Amino acid sequence: MQGLLAWAIRHWVLTTAALLIACAALGYSLAAPAPPREIRLAVGAAPDSAYTLAAEAYAARLEATRFRVSKVPTAGSVENLRLLREGAVDVALVQGGIAGRDRDAGLESLGAVFHEPVWAFLRADRGLARLADLRGKRVAIGPEGSGTRVLALAMLAANGIGPEGFEALPLGGPEAAAALRAGTADAAILVSARVEGTIAALMRAGPEVALADLTDHADAYAAQLPFLVPVRLPRGGLSLADDLPPRPMTLLAPVASVVVREGTHPQVVSLLVSIMREVHRARTPFAPEASFPNTLTQDLRVNADAERYYAHGQTVLQRWLPFWVAVWAERLFTILLPVLGIALPLIRFGPAIYARHMETRVWRHYDTLRRIEAEAAAAPDGAARQALRDRLETLEGLVARLALPASYRRHIFALRRDIAYVRAKLAAAPGEDGYAPADATAAG
């Protein structure tokens, strides 16, 4: 009995240890690896562009969280997508209407962060009022690799003007504005979320340069180019003092989105979305406060971890602990959860199993004591009773040598008391205390 129980306990201990190790291994396999320490971030070439300013704000906050940030200068959205596909950068801003779910299947969006209105400035002194008037004209549409160029070509194509129908000037920003004011360009199509700088300068360029008002055709553009949404520029929206613009105007705008590669670490995604909320929550000339970031009008599939963040916010640990502390705490919790699922029942039932083992070490001697007591009733002669006394002495010696914790020694004392009781019966004369001689019945 004792050997069987000891074997069962050893088997239980080994099985429990194996289960705990297996559960820990399972938890480790389920836990995401630690986030990378370095993030490669695409940064625009123009120092005052919305892309550059946003990327610099991201970089500053990532570095404050003890990431190493590598800034990769790029020409714009097209190059950003290429670098993302090639794995040369990890995070980049991409203009709406540039990416495609089939071509860019390995990329995911973390959400839109701001509108980027299209500013189509035309030489009004040459009779140009609409994009449809630009056939055969010189139009600054941005350099190769820029999102501005892709969007300008799409808008001109919507007006029936293909790439061969006008002279494309690879100028953007200040260079495009300078060419337009100098008369070497008939029009300049700019995409910019910032109204300061180049946009403000062209709005003040004089009557020879005019901003195209798309109010009458905004719905038609949005129908043909669904990534564009109408945005309103109110009268005096750029300058109340100068009454710029002098009347309300409608522009079209894609949204700029933060794009990452598929498989980006979930905690990096959570951190980036929290940074996006911090940087882009403020109101803009084209959106009220807290409009961005959001997951509307996305060319790419939205990252699942980003969607969870938008739905539920940061985890409790990320909300109250520094980023890297929260990272390791969440990984440890993921590893320990399966272990606790096994350990808690063991903690609950383990003491009971241990107590039974301790008590069984005493109780097994009762089998011997009961046999001695039963044999004593049928042992009338002195020699047989002496042999039973010797067996009792041996049993008591075994019991005396039992090593049990103090809380279980009461069982030893109880057993020794019962041994003394049986010894007292053996000391009585045959026929006393319930014992009868073997031939008592026959003698009667």
Side-chain angles (χ1 to χ4, degrees), residues 50 145 188 208 217 305 344 371 393 436 438 440:
E208 66 273 9
H217 300 95
D305 296 300
L344 289 178
R371 286 194 296 270
E393 293 297 328

Side-chain angles (χ1 to χ4, degrees), residues 267-443:
Q267 283 154 325
V268 172
V269 169
S270 177
L271 177 62
L272 286 171
V273 177
S274 69
I275 289 174
M276 289 157 55
R277 279 191 165 175
E278 182 180 347
V279 172
H280 301 291
R281 181 181 177 83
R283 69 174 299 278
T284 70
F286 304 101
E289 184 178 1
S291 297
F292 292 101
N294 62 57
T295 57
L296 305 176
T297 321
Q298 295 299 288
D299 299 326
L300 299 171
R301 181 170 60 88
V302 178
N303 178 278
D305 296 300
E307 286 189 308
R308 278 191 288 272
Y309 186 100
Y310 286 114
H312 306 293
Q314 288 178 307
T315 65
V316 174
L317 291 178
Q318 290 173 347
R319 195 175 299 122
W320 295 104
L321 296 176
F323 175 77
W324 288 104
V325 176
V327 165
W328 288 106
E330 288 179 358
R331 293 188 73 231
L332 183 62
F333 178 77
T334 304
I335 293 171
L336 291 181
L337 187 60
V339 175
L340 292 175
I342 295 294
L344 289 178
L346 295 178
I347 292 172
R348 177 181 177 184
F349 297 111
I353 295 173
Y354 176 78
R356 180 166 179 79
H357 172 57
M358 291 294 104
E359 292 167 356
T360 303
R361 294 180 63 189
V362 177
W363 295 341
R364 69 186 182 90
H365 294 294
Y366 274 97
D367 292 335
T368 303
L369 183 61
R370 280 193 293 269
R371 286 194 296 270
I372 293 174
E373 185 179 18
E375 292 174 16
D381 62 299
R385 295 172 76 83
Q386 184 59 45
L388 292 176
R389 292 191 191 95
D390 292 342
R391 287 170 62 186
L392 274 179
E393 293 297 328
T394 302
L395 176 61
E396 190 168 29
L398 292 174
V399 172
R401 289 194 294 274
L402 282 176
L404 293 180
S407 58
Y408 296 98
R409 288 176 186 167
R410 67 183 186 277
H411 299 298
I412 296 177
F413 295 134
L415 177 56
R416 295 181 73 176
R417 183 180 64 244
D418 294 338
I419 291 173
Y421 171 75
V422 174
R423 182 184 292 112
K425 282 191 171 186
L426 284 171
E432 298 180 2
D433 290 329
Y435 289 112
D439 56 349
T441 302

